[in-house]
């Protein structure tokens, strides 16, 4: 009980990549470009899905949810990281740290569910195309999306409420670039054994089943693609499917290593590198992999640019005529 007489920690220091002082400006510019591209790509996809009637389909409804999620995802971690690179101030208050962890856990859980739903959508579209309209109707997609957001909110709320009750009275340095669960719990001087078990069960429930469903869906998709008689058709289908599968495997794989194998003998620096895959890489590449390569999205983007140019041109002409 000696920790009760110690001063409680009110702020933490995110060590991040502070051991590379000579690269701080370079890292700032690199992650700034990544943040801008990720935000622009995801906001563009979301705007196109909302504005274009041709994209009001189950697949693009799920993609719109994913783009909305990735926009929030990138904004949860990268702005604080960028500020640390630029100013050198890596402190974060305890409530802000827990809030960042809460939002991060919420969005990770939702993304796991959405990615599995999107893989199921592709499975039905490719393997059972005649049943697609019956299985993937608007009501079902809305329920899946709503269930994903609600599941993530409930899991993250339980986690955040439990972590907010912990006491921190020892070192306040978090060897990570954001308030991650494992290093934060290790700093607590409270008894965390029960909390660690419950959160492990929650993480397993929200990660492993969606991952296995995604792998099963893509296994069936690949089997169906192999039956396509046309070599060109097989190559095109494999090109899209393989890129989806690589991104999904990297995302789930790094998450499983980081959270379901927390006691594995993995160096902390490697944990940071793995964390970059599911915190920085996925918001950047998902718009390219899932949306901007699609013919329908390219056509919607072309129409939007054409209409914007026409609107600007007509506005200038009206302005000149009024003069």
């Amino acid at each position: 009980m000696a920790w009760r007489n110690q001063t409680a920690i009110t702020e933490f220091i995110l060590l991040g990549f502070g051991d590379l002082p000579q690269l701080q400006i370079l890292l700032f510019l690199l992650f700034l470009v990544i943040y801008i591209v990720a935000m622009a790509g995801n906001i563009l996809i979301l705007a196109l899905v909302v504005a274009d009637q041709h994209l009001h389909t189950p697949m693009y409804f799920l993609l719109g949810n994913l783009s909305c999620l990735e926009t929030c995802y990138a904004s949860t971690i990268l702005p604080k990281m960028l500020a640390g690179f630029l100013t050198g101030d890596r402190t974060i208050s305890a409530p802000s740290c827990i809030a960042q962890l809460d939002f991060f856990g919420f969005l990770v859980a939702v993304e796991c569910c959405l990615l599995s739903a999107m893989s199921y959508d592709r499975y039905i579209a490719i393997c059972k195309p005649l049943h697609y309209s019956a299985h993937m109707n608007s009501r079902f997609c809305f329920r899946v999306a709503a269930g994903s957001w609600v599941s993530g909110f409930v899991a993250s709320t339980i986690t955040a409420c439990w972590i907010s009750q912990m006491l921190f009275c020892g070192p306040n340095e978090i060897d990570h670039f954001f308030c991650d669960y494992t290093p934060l719990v290790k700093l607590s001087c409270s008894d965390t054994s029960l909390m660690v078990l419950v959160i492990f069960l929650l993480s397993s429930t929200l990660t492993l089943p969606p991952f296995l469903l995604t792998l099963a869906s893509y296994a069936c998709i690949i089997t169906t693609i192999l039956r396509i008689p046309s070599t060109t058709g097989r190559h095109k289908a494999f090109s899209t499917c393989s890129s989806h599968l690589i991104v999904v495997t990297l995302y789930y794989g790094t998450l499983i290593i980081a959270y379901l194998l927390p006691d594995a003998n993995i160096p902390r620096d490697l944990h940071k590198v793995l964390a970059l895959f599911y915190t920085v890489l996925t918001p950047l590449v998902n718009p390219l992999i899932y949306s901007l390569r699609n013919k329908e999205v390219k056509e919607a983007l072309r129409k939007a640019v054409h209409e914007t140019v026409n609107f600007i041109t007509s506005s200038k002409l009206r302005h000149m005529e009024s003069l």
Side-chain angles (χ1 to χ4, degrees), residues 26-67:
L26 180 61
L27 290 173
F28 170 77
L29 294 176
L30 173 63
F31 285 104
L32 178 62
V33 171
I34 290 174
Y35 181 54
I36 292 173
V37 173
M39 292 293 289
N42 284 291
I43 291 174
L44 175 62
I45 296 302
L46 182 59
L48 290 176
V49 170
V50 171
D52 196 302
Q53 294 289 331
H54 295 93
L55 299 183
H56 291 181
T57 62
M59 181 180 75
Y60 291 108
F61 174 75
L62 294 174
L63 283 173
N65 275 267
L66 182 66
S67 295

Side-chain angles (χ1 to χ4, degrees), residues 4-245:
R4 290 186 180 276
N5 296 324
Q6 301 182 26
T7 304
I9 298 296
T10 59
E11 66 180 18
F12 297 98
I13 300 174
L14 298 172
L15 299 180
F17 300 99
D19 55 342
L20 303 171
Q22 69 278 11
L23 298 178
Q24 296 302 292
I25 298 300
L26 180 61
L27 290 173
F28 170 77
L29 294 176
L30 173 63
F31 285 104
L32 178 62
V33 171
I34 290 174
Y35 181 54
I36 292 173
V37 173
M39 292 293 289
N42 284 291
I43 291 174
L44 175 62
I45 296 302
L46 182 59
L48 290 176
V49 170
V50 171
D52 196 302
Q53 294 289 331
H54 295 93
L55 299 183
H56 291 181
T57 62
M59 181 180 75
Y60 291 108
F61 174 75
L62 294 174
L63 283 173
N65 275 267
L66 182 66
S67 295
C68 177
L69 180 143
E70 298 289 15
T71 302
C72 301
Y73 204 170
S75 299
T76 300
I77 294 174
L78 283 173
K80 179 61 181 176
M81 186 195 303
L82 291 171
F85 286 137
L86 191 61
T87 65
D89 181 14
R90 297 182 177 84
T91 60
I92 183 172
S93 66
S96 297
C97 186
I98 294 174
Q100 186 186 59
L101 175 61
D102 184 26
F103 280 108
F104 167 73
F106 165 53
L107 296 171
V108 165
V110 176
E111 180 153 7
C112 287
C113 296
L114 282 178
L115 288 177
S116 64
M118 291 165 61
S119 68
Y120 178 75
D121 171 82
R122 292 299 83 203
Y123 160 72
I124 296 295
I126 295 174
C127 301
K128 298 182 179 181
L130 298 179
H131 301 281
Y132 184 80
S133 58
H135 285 83
M136 299 300 297
N137 53 59
S138 57
R139 179 178 298 180
F140 176 77
C141 288
F142 177 79
R143 289 178 178 175
V144 168
S148 300
W149 289 96
V150 171
S151 299
F153 176 77
V154 171
S156 64
T157 300
I158 293 173
T159 303
C161 290
W162 213 325
I163 291 179
S164 65
Q165 301 302 314
M166 294 192 310
L167 293 176
F168 300 93
C169 49
N172 68 335
E173 293 183 342
I174 298 177
D175 192 9
H176 217 312
F177 56 85
F178 71 102
C179 288
D180 199 8
Y181 164 72
T182 301
L184 185 62
V185 169
K186 288 182 178 179
L187 296 179
S188 175
C189 47
S190 305
D191 181 10
T192 61
S193 55
L194 181 59
M195 182 191 70
V196 169
L197 175 61
V198 172
I199 293 179
F200 174 79
L201 293 175
L202 284 173
S203 301
S204 301
T205 302
L206 291 171
T207 304
L208 287 178
F211 178 53
L212 295 176
L213 176 61
T214 301
L215 286 183
S217 297
Y218 279 112
C220 294
I221 291 171
I222 291 173
T223 302
T224 303
I225 290 173
L226 290 174
R227 298 172 185 162
I228 298 176
S230 169
T231 303
T232 305
R234 282 201 306 270
H235 177 74
K236 182 179 179 181
F238 264 123
S239 175
T240 303
C241 181
S242 60
S243 58
H244 288 189
L245 190 57

Side-chain angles (χ1 to χ4, degrees), residues 263-317:
D263 296 324
N265 190 21
I266 301 175
R268 176 50 53 184
D269 289 340
L270 181 56
H271 263 294
K272 294 179 187 177
V273 174
L274 293 175
L276 289 174
F277 281 96
Y278 56 81
T279 58
V280 176
L281 183 64
T282 51
L284 176 66
V285 302
N286 276 346
L288 301 175
I289 296 297
Y290 286 103
S291 301
L292 294 178
R293 294 176 62 187
N294 292 359
K295 184 172 65 175
E296 294 87 352
V297 174
K298 289 181 181 179
E299 180 62 22
L301 180 59
R302 188 194 64 79
K303 287 171 54 180
V305 171
H306 181 69
E307 290 175 0
T308 302
V309 171
N310 287 341
F311 175 77
I312 294 174
T313 303
S314 60
S315 297
K316 287 183 178 180
L317 289 175

Side-chain angles (χ1 to χ4, degrees), residues 248-270:
V248 166
T249 302
L250 282 174
Y251 180 76
Y252 282 114
T254 51
L255 273 180
I256 290 171
I257 293 173
Y259 295 103
L260 301 187
L261 303 174
D263 296 324
N265 190 21
I266 301 175
R268 176 50 53 184
D269 289 340
L270 181 56

